[in-house]
Amino acid sequence: MEGVLQTKGLLSLPSKPKIKAFYPLPQGGLRNRFNSLSSLKPNPFNGVSLSSNGFQKVHGVDTKLQLFGQKKRCFPICKAEAAAAADGQPLFVEKEQPKFMGIELVTLKKIIPLGAMFFCILFNYTILRDTKDVLVVTAKGSSAEIIPFLKTWVNLPMAIGFMLLYTKLANVLSKEALFYTVILPFIAFFGAFGFVLYPLSNYFHPTAFADKLLNTLGPRFLGPIAILRIWSFCLFYVMAELWGSVVVSVLFWGFANQGEEARRYSTRITTVDEAKRFYPLFGLGANVALIFSGRTVKYFSSLRSSLGPGVDGWAISLKGMMSIVVMMGGAICFFYWWVNRNVALPTRSKKKKVKPNMTTMESLKFLVSSKYIRDLATLVVAYGISINLVEVTWKSKLKAQFPSPNEYSSFMGDFSTATGIATFTMMLLSQWIFDKYGWGAAAKITPTVLLLTGVGFFSLLLFGAPLAPTLAKFGMTPLLAAVYVGAIQNIFSKSAKYSLFDPCKEMAYIPLDEDTKVKGKAAIDVVCNPLGKSGGALIQQFMILTFGSLASSTPYLGGVLLVIVLAWLGAAKSLDGQFTQLRQEEDLEKEMERASLKIPVVSQNENGNGPLSSGSSLNPAEGDSTNASSEPSSPRSL
């Protein structure tokens, strides 16, 4: 301890101390407690010495005071509440920023454009996500069996290649130039696809060669061959997938959180307090975008009914939707340009957060060594595999029920709207669920929803014939019932994922120590996220190549789903007990810290260098007979 307040008793700092400049002090501000500082005569040298009981004594006035637990920090004087109104006028008053509806205009200047950017990005993503499935599933010579092969052998390598290219561009381009360099090719491609590539696709797709390969290799290779047959549609699929991961995660959140590495400073686009207040609203706005974009897809998919015979209605719908994607892309660029020109942006900090560069083997070893991280990894992998197993099987039945691209797209528009409404509602309920039932119940809702709806979906596929008479009374066939149950499964599982699973996953890191937290996130990013995303696709590829088709492997996929969801529930239960224990320990530590937030104060002896009073709790030396003076005197250091 290098700075000690010298007077009698204990002085407790207020919970929210008000900062005051070092000088000049207002007249009489501390007169009731200390002698006037005008009588203070600093020693001719600054430094510290040791008193007889081993504690440091301060000579002179040092402006770099250090309190307990603080290292090399300038700490200005804290004004006591009793001296707040000594002369009625503070030294300086911070000018209050103009506000609108209780929010500072400076904040609105940042948040409104960012919210508009996020809305446009998510609006485009919903249109692209629905369109990519329609293209590759309903194309002639293709089916839903193409999706597992497409995700593993095309989407994953292109995503890795793109991130390598992005890393190299980030080293040579400014942030603004990098943003435009990445997003403009996306916008140009989607516009060119709607007006050039799709209308001319019959001229450059190798249909005859694909038919020859299919006759030679057999129907079980329909999925891989379809990638070659409709390569331009597969390219659209990959670009739509990259829009979600690159434009949303890398470009937007990287821009909104710019300056994250300099938390101590206020030079960030979005401060931590603003993020806590407005980021949840961004999530709600994203689901509003999902609702509107679903209605947009529904509208353009219904244009076929108003067109004459012989007109390709899907081509007209595609042109309309890609035109909106291009316009929204232009709006994204405009908002980004406006923020860069009208909001003070942070400068890049030289000090960066050190993250462990863990290899795949190191990540696996770390996952195995920690039960807590292992259970958390199980949650991430199980979700990725289980949602993929059900989704691809459902899309194969969706094509059988709606073979026309317009009908398929129209249904997907309704599906996106329902997903947005369900997720919006679940986000409003999620806080109540966390407060009333706790982390464990919230973490188990997503696998429970997947299990119940998955059982219903696969039961309709396996036992549809005996249920046909009963379903006919409700005007449904077993296939249509399976499509609706699969849609309900996807809607509620996605809404539970966004509103409960993702928050639970991030909350699980909070009570960990810093080393485990950083290494655990790195290990899960390296191993579990790719395994969860591609694990379901690899399982389906094995089933298709083994049993000949996706329909033939349905019973086995249902069994695999049951095993994975049960393992997921077991990991969630185990993690709940560990999480609760760590939180209790963390709360106990905080209570102990609060109890120790009292500053011991020294009284001064005749020589002006007083030791700590005998009542100090900071381990006074046993047998120390130094007596404290009963009269307070001028402080040597504040």
Side-chain angles (χ1 to χ4, degrees):
M1 184 176 69
E2 297 183 5
V4 181
L5 300 178
Q6 301 182 1
T7 185
K8 290 184 67 176
L10 293 175
L11 173 67
S12 299
L13 293 177
S15 59
K16 294 183 179 179
K18 300 179 180 178
I19 304 302
K20 189 156 184 173
F22 194 76
Y23 0 181
L25 287 172
Q27 296 181 357
L30 297 177
R31 191 180 303 164
N32 294 331
R33 181 166 294 192
F34 301 115
N35 294 333
S36 173
L37 285 178
S38 60
S39 64
L40 179 64
K41 295 181 180 180
N43 290 333
F45 62 92
N46 291 332
V48 296
S49 63
L50 293 177
S51 66
S52 59
N53 64 354
F55 286 96
Q56 292 176 347
K57 296 183 291 187
V58 182
H59 300 279
V61 178
D62 191 356
T63 59
K64 295 184 178 180
L65 289 176
Q66 294 181 354
L67 297 181
F68 304 110
Q70 294 175 336
K71 298 180 180 179
K72 297 181 181 179
R73 251 183 100 179
C74 283
F75 200 90
I77 296 176
C78 294
K79 181 176 69 173
E81 294 292 340
D87 53 10
Q89 293 293 333
L91 262 176
F92 60 89
V93 178
E94 184 178 355
K95 185 179 179 181
E96 186 176 356
Q97 296 289 341
K99 296 182 178 181
F100 177 76
M101 298 181 66
I103 304 174
E104 293 181 355
L105 293 180
V106 175
T107 300
L108 292 177
K109 197 175 181 181
K110 297 181 293 183
I111 296 301
I112 291 178
L114 287 175
M117 279 182 64
F118 196 56
F119 180 91
C120 294
I121 290 171
L122 269 297
F123 190 96
N124 274 0
Y125 177 63
T126 304
I127 292 178
L128 296 173
R129 183 189 61 188
D130 293 347
T131 304
K132 70 180 177 62
D133 290 332
V134 176
L135 283 169
V136 300
V137 173
T138 64
K140 186 178 179 181
S142 179
S143 69
E145 294 177 5
I146 191 178
I147 294 179
F149 297 94
L150 187 55
K151 285 186 174 181
T152 304
W153 306 111
V154 181
N155 190 30
L156 185 60
M158 287 195 67
I160 295 173
F162 181 87
M163 294 312 297
L164 293 175
L165 177 62
Y166 179 85
T167 303
K168 291 185 177 296
L169 290 175
N171 293 330
V172 297
L173 297 177
S174 65
K175 286 185 175 291
E176 189 171 359
L178 180 64
F179 184 92
Y180 294 126
T181 302
V182 172
I183 197 171
L184 289 177
F186 278 96
I187 299 172
F189 172 80
F190 293 130
F193 184 86
F195 289 89
V196 179
L197 292 179
Y198 182 81
L200 299 178
S201 59
N202 292 330
Y203 295 98
F204 51 75
H205 281 174
T207 305
F209 178 68
D211 289 338
K212 186 177 179 180
L213 278 179
L214 186 62
N215 292 332
T216 303
L217 299 176
R220 68 180 61 195
F221 289 93
L222 174 66
I225 294 173
I227 295 176
L228 176 64
R229 182 193 299 272
I230 54 171
W231 65 267
S232 66
F233 297 175
C234 295
L235 182 59
F236 182 95
Y237 186 99
V238 172
M239 292 293 285
E241 286 278 329
L242 287 177
W243 178 275
S245 58
V246 172
V247 179
V248 177
S249 302
V250 177
L251 294 186
F252 175 77
W253 287 117
F255 177 60
N257 295 327
Q258 187 174 322
E260 177 70 20
E261 66 274 9
R263 291 177 182 268
R264 292 188 303 166
Y265 308 103
S266 59
T267 54
R268 299 183 61 215
I269 290 186
T270 308
T271 65
V272 175
D273 290 337
E274 290 170 346
K276 291 179 180 178
R277 185 177 183 185
F278 294 106
Y279 280 7
L281 297 181
F282 286 0
L284 296 177
N287 290 284
V288 174
L290 199 63
I291 296 171
F292 281 99
S293 55
R295 293 295 86 199
T296 302
V297 172
K298 175 78 172 180
Y299 170 77
F300 282 104
S301 300
S302 303
L303 288 178
R304 183 182 180 185
S305 58
S306 61
L307 299 175
V311 179
D312 188 352
W314 175 237
I316 301 298
S317 301
L318 197 59
K319 288 180 180 179
M321 289 187 289
M322 292 305 103
S323 298
I324 292 181
V325 168
V326 171
M327 287 189 293
M328 286 292 187
I332 295 167
C333 293
F334 169 76
F335 289 124
Y336 180 82
W337 173 86
W338 191 91
V339 171
N340 276 275
R341 295 298 180 274
N342 296 278
V343 176
L345 300 182
T347 55
R348 185 175 295 180
S349 174
K350 293 183 180 179
K351 292 182 66 178
K352 294 185 178 179
K353 187 185 294 183
V354 178
K355 293 185 179 180
N357 187 16
M358 302 175 69
T359 64
T360 302
M361 289 305 300
E362 291 172 342
S363 301
L364 284 172
K365 290 179 180 178
F366 186 80
L367 290 172
V368 173
S369 64
S370 172
K371 182 181 179 182
Y372 191 96
I373 298 298
R374 192 165 61 246
D375 288 337
L376 185 56
T378 303
L379 264 63
V380 175
V381 175
Y383 175 82
I385 294 177
S386 57
I387 194 67
N388 192 274
L389 289 178
V390 178
E391 191 174 36
V392 175
T393 307
W394 171 64
K395 288 177 181 177
S396 67
K397 302 304 175 183
L398 189 59
K399 182 192 176 181
Q401 180 65 39
F402 303 107
S404 168
N406 282 93
E407 293 176 349
Y408 192 111
S409 180
S410 178
F411 182 87
M412 290 303 294
D414 291 333
F415 170 79
S416 295
T417 300
T419 303
I421 295 173
T423 307
F424 188 92
T425 305
M426 286 294 295
M427 281 187 168
L428 296 177
L429 293 175
S430 60
Q431 187 62 50
W432 176 79
I433 293 173
F434 278 112
D435 292 339
K436 185 172 181 62
Y437 299 103
W439 186 93
K444 294 173 186 175
I445 288 178
T446 305
T448 302
V449 169
L450 268 167
L451 179 63
L452 296 178
T453 54
V455 168
F457 175 71
F458 281 100
S459 297
L460 284 170
L461 297 182
L462 297 175
F463 310 108
L467 295 174
T470 304
L471 293 173
K473 297 179 180 178
F474 299 95
M476 290 190 298
T477 62
L479 177 61
L480 183 60
V483 167
Y484 285 146
V485 172
I488 292 172
Q489 189 273 339
N490 274 270
I491 289 169
F492 283 101
S493 60
K494 287 181 183 295
S495 62
K497 190 258 185 186
Y498 297 142
S499 59
L500 295 173
F501 179 79
D502 287 344
C504 284
K505 180 185 69 174
E506 297 303 323
M507 288 170 62
Y509 289 109
I510 293 176
L512 297 175
D513 61 87
E514 192 63 27
D515 184 62
T516 305
K517 183 186 302 182
V518 174
K519 288 185 178 180
K521 288 182 73 72
I524 288 176
D525 289 341
V526 170
V527 177
C528 301
N529 280 337
L531 183 60
K533 292 178 180 179
S534 59
L538 291 173
I539 292 173
Q540 287 170 329
Q541 291 176 51
F542 174 78
M543 295 287 185
I544 291 171
L545 295 178
T546 301
F547 299 103
S549 66
L550 196 61
S552 302
S553 59
T554 296
Y556 306 98
L557 291 175
V560 172
L561 177 66
L562 179 62
V563 172
I564 290 175
V565 174
L566 290 178
W568 183 356
L569 286 168
K573 182 179 180 181
S574 173
L575 193 60
D576 181 28
Q578 299 173 74
F579 178 79
T580 302
Q581 182 178 357
L582 288 176
R583 288 301 304 273
Q584 290 174 349
E585 294 174 359
E586 187 181 54
D587 292 340
L588 180 60
E589 289 177 0
K590 289 180 179 179
E591 289 297 328
M592 294 175 66
E593 289 176 1
R594 292 191 191 102
S596 64
L597 282 181
K598 287 182 178 290
I599 301 179
V601 183
V602 214
S603 55
Q604 192 167 342
N605 60 18
E606 295 176 353
N607 297 326
N609 292 318
L612 290 171
S613 63
S614 59
S616 173
S617 61
L618 286 182
N619 300 326
E622 292 182 5
D624 194 334
S625 58
T626 306
N627 294 326
S629 173
S630 60
E631 294 298 328
S633 61
S634 302
R636 286 287 181 188
S637 174
L638 287 177

